[in-house]
Amino acid sequence: DKLWLLFTPVSITPLIDTEKREAMMKNYSVRTDLALEEKERFASDNVEVQGVVLEEEYDEENEIRLTRVVIETENGAKIMGKPTGIYLTLESPDLALEVEENSRVLQERICDCIRELIFHKISCEDGKELKILFVGLGNRAVTPDALGPYVADHLEVNRHIVKEYGKYAMRTEQLIVLSAIVPGVMGQTGMETAEIVRGIVHETKPDLILAVDALAARNSRRLNRTIQIADTGIHPGSGVGNYRNAMTEESLGVPVIGIGVPTVVDAATIVNDTMENFITALEQSQALRSTGEILRSYSAAEKYEFVKELISPHLNGMFVTPKDVDEMVHQISHTIAASLNLLFSDINAGESE
């Protein structure tokens, strides 16, 4: 009886009355930085998004899933809420393992994805120096947000050597000139990250920017086991609703490839998933089946808004991360850095396309 009283339409309706419904549907958005999850949201509703192409391949032997989302049109970008471009998503349970333990194949796949987008954005002629600026986004003092700075710690930068001794000191004709910066966050510097990077671009004139940042996911199963690589740049802080100036080719003047790993998930989405499981349990109960069917009739936006109302103000806006995130972030940073160092050594050895 108590369950019935709590979940009758009368108790839900005030939270999602007709006056709110239109605005709610307009503003409803799954809190995620992953283009794959945005596409999945429409697929679950049996909605085909025109101008968006999804391709998927799975390496069963190494447990690596590669998903390619290509947003081709402005209409597709508007619906997806993301810029037009290519989004490559790799999922693997080995991502957070130690570099000595995780699959060399995984590092090579990450390397291949980054290489593909680099040479999609710029051409590299034989004998020409390719200047790359690495930007490690995030706050080193906050573990789930420290991925970018940690990756920068393990990169083999060489710009200072080339400037001092010339490219022949590296014993190669084809050369990646790599520099790196960890600009911190606005609370530490009082400056937008894009402002800092724009000044560095003006002085050093790189051909390309690689930016690494921590992301937010919609599905907790993707935390610390998914990496997204996109040629559309990056929006620092967007995953937790802390929007800052975007780092894109339009804002910085050079192509920007964003690399991100989801390390946090919105608390409301966890409660929402729990509610979905609860509704399924109600539908399987003979006595409470009608209650489950009533709740199932509400849209995803309405249920999500209901959850946010229930957990407000104590949990609304809270983000959750695994308890062993410190170890995971360290290991993932080693994996990404190893992949980047592998990529740069391959190009320097003349294996670019």
Side-chain angles (χ1 to χ4, degrees):
D1 292 338
K2 291 181 180 179
L3 285 174
W4 175 257
L5 290 173
L6 177 61
F7 288 104
T8 55
V10 175
S11 64
I12 298 177
T13 301
L15 298 176
I16 53 175
D17 57 26
T18 305
E19 295 178 359
K20 289 185 178 181
R21 182 168 304 198
E22 184 175 349
M24 181 197 310
M25 294 299 292
K26 180 179 179 180
N27 296 326
Y28 169 66
S29 176
V30 177
R31 182 62 63 83
T32 179
D33 289 315
L34 300 177
L36 169 61
E37 292 186 331
E38 289 285 1
K39 186 67 172 66
E40 287 177 342
R41 177 162 65 93
F42 291 102
S44 65
D45 295 333
N46 297 317
V47 175
E48 182 66 29
V49 182
Q50 296 295 325
V52 179
V53 178
L54 185 146
E55 299 174 353
E56 185 178 285
E57 60 182 72
Y58 181 62
D59 181 348
E60 186 174 354
E61 180 181 355
N62 296 288
E63 296 184 275
I64 300 174
R65 185 180 304 277
L66 171 62
T67 307
R68 177 190 302 269
V69 176
V70 182
I71 303 179
E72 299 176 329
T73 66
E74 291 300 328
N75 179 64
K78 183 178 179 180
I79 295 174
M80 291 281 288
K82 296 189 179 297
T84 57
I86 302 173
Y87 300 80
L88 305 179
T89 305
L90 281 166
E91 299 175 77
S92 171
D94 294 342
L95 184 60
L97 296 180
E98 294 185 15
V99 173
E100 292 76 11
E101 296 179 5
N102 68 16
S103 172
R104 171 75 172 189
V105 175
L106 175 60
Q107 295 177 33
E108 292 175 349
R109 294 301 295 274
I110 296 173
C111 173
D112 290 341
C113 289
I114 299 173
R115 178 192 285 111
E116 175 186 338
L117 294 191
I118 286 179
F119 291 109
H120 174 73
K121 300 298 289 187
I122 59 176
S123 60
C124 188
E125 302 173 0
D126 291 340
K128 179 181 180 295
E129 294 182 356
L130 178 59
K131 295 182 288 185
I132 293 179
L133 171 63
F134 176 88
V135 181
L137 298 169
N139 187 345
R140 191 186 292 271
V142 180
T143 303
D145 194 35
L147 180 64
Y150 288 170
V151 173
D153 291 342
H154 309 304
L155 286 180
E156 299 172 357
V157 297
N158 62 3
R159 180 175 180 271
H160 57 304
I161 298 176
V162 175
K163 282 181 65 68
E164 183 70 22
Y165 302 106
K167 69 177 183 179
Y168 295 104
M170 307 302 296
R171 298 182 179 180
T172 179
E173 289 290 334
Q174 187 70 45
L175 182 62
I176 293 289
V177 180
L178 179 64
S179 55
I181 180 66
V182 178
V185 295
M186 181 179 283
Q188 298 169 324
T189 65
M191 294 178 285
E192 288 273 7
T193 299
E195 293 175 332
I196 298 172
V197 175
R198 194 177 297 117
I200 296 173
V201 168
H202 177 73
E203 290 293 327
T204 63
K205 296 179 175 55
D207 299 305
L208 178 86
I209 293 174
L210 286 174
V212 171
D213 197 9
L215 307 179
R218 163 64 179 82
N219 191 326
S220 59
R221 288 175 295 182
R222 286 197 169 100
L223 293 182
N224 300 314
R225 57 180 295 163
T226 304
I227 179 170
Q228 175 177 273
I229 305 164
D231 66 354
T232 58
I234 205 159
H235 296 71
S238 61
V240 295
N242 188 22
Y243 294 94
R244 298 299 180 204
N245 290 343
M247 291 176 49
T248 64
E249 183 172 1
E250 291 74 22
S251 65
L252 299 178
V254 294
V256 181
I257 293 177
I259 303 171
V261 175
T263 60
V264 297
V265 63
D266 187 1
T269 65
I270 295 179
V271 178
N272 188 57
D273 290 344
T274 304
M275 182 178 177
E276 288 291 331
N277 293 334
F278 182 61
I279 292 173
T280 301
L282 290 177
E283 291 175 328
Q284 294 173 353
S285 169
Q286 188 68 31
L288 300 173
R289 180 177 300 169
S290 59
T291 305
E293 292 174 351
I294 291 171
L295 291 173
R296 182 70 69 187
S297 67
Y298 287 94
S299 68
E302 291 169 336
K303 284 184 284 190
Y304 189 77
E305 186 71 15
F306 177 45
V307 167
K308 290 180 67 176
E309 292 282 352
L310 286 178
I311 67 177
S312 179
H314 304 293
L315 295 178
N316 201 5
M318 181 178 291
F319 288 84
V320 182
T321 192
K323 63 181 180 180
D324 54 349
V325 66
D326 51 348
E327 180 66 19
M328 285 185 169
V329 169
H330 273 94
Q331 299 304 339
I332 293 171
S333 69
H334 278 281
T335 298
I336 295 176
S339 301
L340 289 173
N341 289 331
L342 175 63
L343 169 64
F344 301 146
S345 64
D346 284 350
I347 295 177
N348 285 343
E351 296 181 9
S352 61
E353 297 177 355

